Amino acid sequence: MPEDQETRVVTRRHDPDRRDRIIDAALAVIAEGGVAGTSHRRVADRAGVPLGSMTYHFTSMDELLREAFTRFATRLSERFTARLEAAADLDALVEAVVHLVHADLTAGPDDLVLTLELYTLAARQPAFRQITHDWMRRSRQALERLVDARTAHELDALIEGLFIHISLDPAPRSRDVTRDAVRRILSL
């Protein structure tokens, strides 16, 4: 065996974080070009891994997309839950929701695009709906610490709608308008 081939075998990298890097790279590629513009090659290039790593770690593009969107939804759920756990009463809940809508949910520059890409995928393919269902369930559970299930459902829908509207509207939206809407749902 020539010496350079022996060296390649000996220096083969152990890369335990490769799968995670691929998932994160997939989210970045989706944010840049949408699900339709996502390919194994683009994700591998972004992750800095050989193309063969894609099929080694993921049996299909759908599996990679499910893993990536599950990671994204979990990350936003954790941000959401952390903000709400700090609220001790309804007045604090109002302020927590205002902060979520105007800051926390828009903290990542790609959050809106990834959210809308996930919704579109879930609308078209039932296999992806479970990700959105789990995300909504976690949000409602966090809200149910302080409100009943029906109110949690209504408030969760309001938060999501306001997040999208605020993110897409070119005119800055007032926190007071958001605060008033939340207070109405809570009958305060």
Side-chain angles (χ1 to χ4, degrees):
M1 179 182 299
E3 189 175 322
D4 62 335
Q5 284 181 342
E6 284 180 41
T7 304
R8 267 188 264 142
V9 172
V10 173
T11 60
R12 187 174 182 186
R13 285 186 359 180
H14 174 66
D15 190 357
D17 300 326
R18 182 174 289 188
R19 189 173 197 283
D20 282 334
R21 279 201 329 276
I22 292 169
I23 293 169
D24 288 337
L27 288 170
V29 169
I30 294 165
E32 289 170 358
V35 169
T38 301
S39 67
H40 286 290
R41 183 172 305 285
R42 285 186 177 146
V43 173
D45 287 347
R46 182 67 179 248
V49 301
L51 186 57
S53 290
M54 301 301 294
T55 55
Y56 176 80
H57 289 286
F58 302 96
T59 58
S60 65
M61 180 56 75
D62 276 355
E63 181 186 2
L64 174 58
L65 292 173
R66 279 193 307 275
E67 291 275 344
F69 280 121
T70 297
R71 176 171 292 177
F72 169 72
T74 300
R75 194 175 338 167
L76 259 57
S77 288
E78 289 168 354
R79 210 182 301 163
F80 187 96
T81 300
R83 176 64 59 190
L84 294 180
E85 284 178 348
D89 58 26
L90 291 181
D91 287 327
L93 176 61
V94 171
E95 294 310 312
V97 169
V98 169
H99 196 79
L100 273 167
V101 169
H102 288 269
D104 289 344
L105 296 178
T106 58
D110 300 328
D111 290 348
L112 175 66
V113 171
L114 290 170
T115 298
L116 296 177
E117 286 287 335
L118 172 57
Y119 289 168
T120 301
L121 199 56
R124 288 188 177 132
Q125 297 183 37
F128 287 87
R129 285 192 194 131
Q130 190 61 48
I131 298 168
T132 59
H133 289 304
D134 291 344
W135 186 3
M136 288 183 272
R137 180 185 42 76
R138 287 189 303 265
S139 297
R140 289 190 304 265
Q141 285 174 337
L143 289 163
E144 287 174 10
R145 273 188 50 254
L146 295 170
V147 299
D148 63 82
R150 180 180 174 176
T151 304
H153 188 270
E154 293 169 353
L155 191 52
D156 185 40
L158 176 72
I159 291 166
E160 205 150 337
L162 285 172
F163 155 66
I164 291 170
H165 281 244
I166 288 168
S167 297
L168 293 175
D169 194 336
R173 305 313 267 164
S174 167
R175 286 176 174 249
D176 290 336
V177 172
T178 301
R179 188 175 291 106
D180 183 53
V182 174
R183 291 183 70 79
R184 279 193 232 169
I185 285 182
L186 296 176
S187 300
L188 296 176

